[in-house]
Amino acid sequence: MRSELEQIPGIGPDMARHLMDIGYTTIASLKGQDPEEIYLRDCAHQRHEVDRCVLYVYRLAVHYADNDGILPEGKADWWNWKG
């Protein structure tokens, strides 16, 4: 069964599982969250430093959640959230 998190660009089954494993099970659960904190929780859960690209995905995901699915022009891909 597909997670609702997979509606977010850049979130596939694997990334959805990362989020669900650390307590973010819905798009609403990402609202108001700090992407850096989500990343650090993921690293702690995985027991190793996760690739920093994952942080960029979390930045996109939180923005998506905070803005009812609206992303800025040119920011629909996770790699556009590097800085």
Side-chain angles (χ1 to χ4, degrees), residues 2-3 7 10 13 15 17 20 23 26-27 29-30 37 40-41 46 48 56 69-70 75-76 79-81 83:
R2 185 177 151 129
S3 163
Q7 295 175 40
M15 288 304 304
R17 175 59 46 208
M20 290 186 290
T26 64
I27 293 171
S29 69
L30 293 169
E37 180 60 33
L40 294 173
R41 287 181 66 188
Q46 300 294 326
H48 65 84
Y56 313 150
I70 298 170
K75 294 274 210 165
W79 53 84
N80 294 316
W81 293 85

Side-chain angles (χ1 to χ4, degrees), residues 2-81:
R2 185 177 151 129
S3 163
E4 85 170 51
L5 295 169
E6 293 178 57
Q7 295 175 40
I8 302 169
I11 303 282
D14 186 53
M15 288 304 304
R17 175 59 46 208
H18 277 247
L19 287 166
M20 290 186 290
D21 285 349
I22 58 173
Y24 301 99
T25 58
T26 64
I27 293 171
S29 69
L30 293 169
K31 282 188 175 189
Q33 299 301 311
D34 178 352
E36 183 79 28
E37 180 60 33
I38 296 171
Y39 173 77
L40 294 173
R41 287 181 66 188
D42 192 11
C43 290
H45 180 76
Q46 300 294 326
R47 295 193 170 117
H48 65 84
E49 187 173 338
V50 177
D51 189 305
R52 289 290 287 183
C53 293
V54 171
L55 172 60
Y56 313 150
V57 175
Y58 294 158
R59 287 176 181 162
L60 184 157
V62 169
H63 184 90
Y64 184 96
D66 285 345
N67 294 279
D68 298 320
I70 298 170
L71 297 171
E73 178 130 1
K75 294 274 210 165
D77 296 307
W78 62 265
W79 53 84
N80 294 316
W81 293 85

